[in-house]
Amino acid sequence: MGFYNKVKWVLGILMIFILIIATNLIDRNNFVRIKDSLEAIYKDRLIAKDLIFKISKSVQEKELAAAKLDSTFFLGRNKQVNSDIETAITSFEGTKLTTKEAKVFNDFKNNLAVLTKLEDSKPFKKSSYNSNILSVKENLYELSEIQMNEGKRQMSISKRAIDSIELFTQLEIYVLIFLAVIVQIIVIYKPRER
């Protein structure tokens, strides 16, 4: 095999090698984006949604006790409900919050603090308590909506990354076929000798 043929072979193999490395690096980046997006959906959205549900359930229990004017609830069970809510709030603070979510969450904590003070006040003011419960429930609803919107946004990021992987995979196949044809032409082609 002459020097010219060796150069043709080396160039052909080098082109294929560079193409495979380039697409591999692009695919790796896209897989990292998908992984991060899926982790964010689970850690920061599904868990947060579950915590919001638990808090809502506890707030609903308080609302029902206030509607019934159940003094035994406020003397006994309410301490456990408040403890459960505090545990959920601490867990929720551990998730990654968006700017809007942090603002709504702070409003929620403030409204909840007012609600707790109203529970301890004598005499019990049912109308102020009920209006404050509505504020807390509105905050929880907003937080729930934010979870859905952020989950959709993360899914959109994953979908774009997957689409990008599919596109580059198709391009890689076409370029590899093209390069294989070029390498075959280079190998088969024999220049005329003078």
Side-chain angles (χ1 to χ4, degrees):
M1 183 185 275
F3 177 74
Y4 180 68
N5 283 335
K6 287 181 184 179
V7 170
K8 288 193 289 186
W9 272 99
V10 169
L11 287 177
I13 292 172
L14 190 62
M15 285 184 349
I16 293 171
F17 182 72
I18 289 171
L19 174 71
I20 291 172
I21 287 178
T23 55
N24 187 325
L25 292 175
I26 292 169
D27 287 347
R28 180 182 294 154
N29 182 33
N30 286 326
F31 281 122
V32 167
R33 284 178 37 208
I34 291 170
K35 180 180 151 267
D36 291 345
S37 179
L38 292 176
E39 284 177 5
I41 288 171
Y42 176 72
K43 288 181 183 174
D44 300 326
R45 301 300 148 214
L46 288 178
I47 290 176
K49 187 81 167 166
D50 181 55
L51 293 170
I52 291 168
F53 175 74
K54 288 176 181 174
I55 294 170
S56 295
K57 204 169 140 184
S58 297
V59 169
Q60 190 175 29
E61 194 174 344
K62 287 174 173 278
E63 184 179 29
L64 185 61
K68 291 180 178 180
L69 293 173
D70 185 359
S71 59
T72 57
F73 172 84
F74 289 107
L75 294 174
R77 171 92 176 113
N78 192 43
K79 287 184 177 104
Q80 180 60 45
V81 170
N82 286 339
S83 175
D84 292 345
I85 290 174
E86 283 302 316
T87 302
I89 285 173
T90 303
S91 296
F92 193 89
E93 287 172 334
T95 64
K96 190 184 293 182
L97 303 175
T98 64
T99 307
K100 182 180 178 184
E101 190 176 16
K103 181 188 175 305
V104 173
F105 186 61
N106 284 330
D107 289 347
F108 162 74
K109 289 193 297 187
N110 293 336
N111 288 332
L112 191 64
V114 170
L115 190 70
T116 305
K117 285 180 186 171
L118 286 172
E119 291 169 352
D120 296 335
S121 68
K122 303 283 189 247
F124 184 76
K125 298 174 185 156
K126 186 176 178 183
S127 62
S128 341
Y129 190 80
N130 286 339
S131 68
N132 200 266
I133 282 241
L134 289 175
S135 298
V136 168
K137 286 170 66 176
E138 182 62 34
N139 293 140
L140 289 170
Y141 176 76
E142 284 182 60
L143 287 171
S144 181
E145 285 296 309
I146 290 170
Q147 302 315 307
M148 290 301 294
N149 292 335
E150 282 299 306
K152 286 177 187 174
R153 189 179 73 78
Q154 291 295 333
M155 285 301 293
S156 171
I157 290 170
S158 292
K159 184 172 175 7
R160 281 195 308 264
I162 289 170
D163 290 345
S164 177
I165 289 171
E166 288 176 0
L167 173 69
F168 281 111
T169 301
Q170 291 293 327
L171 287 175
E172 183 179 335
I173 290 169
Y174 294 136
V175 171
L176 283 174
I177 291 170
F178 176 73
L179 288 176
V181 169
I182 288 177
V183 167
Q184 289 298 321
I185 291 171
I186 290 172
V187 169
I188 295 173
Y189 175 73
K190 291 184 183 179
R192 292 184 191 156
E193 293 182 22
R194 294 183 181 174

